[in-house]
Amino acid sequence: MIADAEIIDRLWSLPDNAARFLRQSVSPRGVFTTDVHTGVLDLLLRSTPRRGEAFVVFQLLSPHLPGNYDLSADTVADVLDLMDRFEVSDVECHRAFGPNWRPVVTHALEVSEQIDDTGSARFDLGADSHRRLGAWAHARDVAVETGRLDQWYRSQAAAWEPRFGNIAAPRPENLITPEEAATIRDAAAALSVGDLVGSSFTPAHFETLVSPWRQATRRQLRLVGSAG
């Protein structure tokens, strides 16, 4: 697993980079001089070459964002103020993703590396969709019972943001299929509540959710190794 310090080091400069990019994209009168106008996620994606870093930091920022996530002449000042004072830390990671933030963020960053380096990988989805949906529902139930539902959903969005396909994102040719996105998000759903494996969310449920991604990762590594 990536060390805490390395996680924070990889993420801490992104709010500053995004603020710099935004300032370069807005005239003194608040008129956008570039096409960055969709929202904060779009801004973050344009400020880092790794979409996983943007997904994670977007979830860290979201609880602090003023109102909605749209960028306009009326919201630029508030967004810049947040970017300028926001500090990526283990405290913020815990606030957004809960006590299991380390494996959650590690998964999000590893997904980004796999997808960005290999393009739209073809995944072996493994377990049937009905079994996975049942396991996902059990994971959601324990998240509800422990008051961690918001963090549980954020963990999945950090792994793959569901709105990503609807914005002007870089490298749209590398977008993955809905089934592949579900594989990525299911693993995050399990990791988020991995400490709650017990009577209602069993080890079998956990493995049902994480094994398809693990199998896909091993398959990609074999493909990369054979190509080399």
Side-chain angles (χ1 to χ4, degrees):
M1 184 178 295
I2 305 173
D4 290 9
E6 184 179 350
I7 291 174
I8 303 304
D9 185 59
R10 288 180 58 173
L11 301 175
W12 75 271
S13 62
L14 184 48
D16 285 341
N17 293 342
R20 188 179 307 111
F21 191 95
L22 182 56
R23 285 190 170 91
Q24 295 169 352
S25 304
V26 182
S27 72
R29 295 184 178 181
V31 178
F32 285 93
T33 57
T34 73
D35 61 351
V36 178
H37 54 75
T38 302
V40 173
L41 177 58
D42 185 23
L43 173 64
L44 292 168
L45 284 163
R46 293 171 184 270
S47 304
T48 175
R50 296 290 190 186
R51 62 170 66 93
E53 296 173 3
F55 289 168
V56 170
V57 172
F58 180 61
Q59 293 304 319
L60 297 181
L61 289 168
S62 292
H64 306 279
L65 284 171
N68 57 43
Y69 309 135
D70 293 336
L71 285 176
S72 67
D74 295 332
T75 61
V76 164
D78 287 336
V79 171
L80 282 173
D81 177 66
L82 173 60
M83 296 287 188
D84 287 339
R85 59 185 169 79
F86 188 82
E87 182 176 346
V88 176
S89 66
D90 55 352
V91 173
E92 291 295 343
C93 288
H94 190 285
R95 185 201 309 274
F97 306 121
N100 288 356
W101 68 265
R102 294 169 182 84
V104 166
V105 175
T106 297
H107 172 61
L109 297 179
E110 289 177 346
V111 167
S112 178
E113 291 171 357
Q114 288 289 320
I115 301 300
D116 288 345
D117 289 347
T118 63
S120 184
R122 301 275 73 82
F123 295 170
D124 177 6
L125 300 184
D128 67 83
S129 58
H130 291 294
R131 187 150 56 92
R132 281 173 56 187
L133 180 59
W136 184 91
H138 281 284
R140 181 191 57 195
D141 288 345
V142 296
V144 171
E145 292 166 3
T146 55
R148 286 160 51 177
L149 185 62
D150 182 67
Q151 295 168 328
W152 184 70
Y153 276 117
R154 287 189 186 282
S155 297
Q156 294 171 74
W160 192 264
E161 169 56 53
R163 284 170 290 182
F164 181 51
N166 298 322
I167 64 176
R171 298 186 302 281
E173 69 278 6
N174 287 347
L175 285 174
I176 63 175
T177 68
E179 292 78 11
E180 292 164 347
T183 298
I184 290 168
R185 288 168 61 85
D186 280 354
L191 293 170
S192 176
V193 291
D195 60 316
L196 301 176
V197 171
S199 57
S200 61
F201 182 56
T202 67
H205 293 142
F206 182 90
E207 288 301 320
T208 295
L209 293 173
V210 301
S211 61
W213 168 250
R214 288 174 178 169
Q215 292 169 11
T217 303
R218 287 195 293 267
R219 183 166 176 260
Q220 282 302 113
L221 290 175
R222 287 197 300 269
L223 291 174
V224 172
S226 62

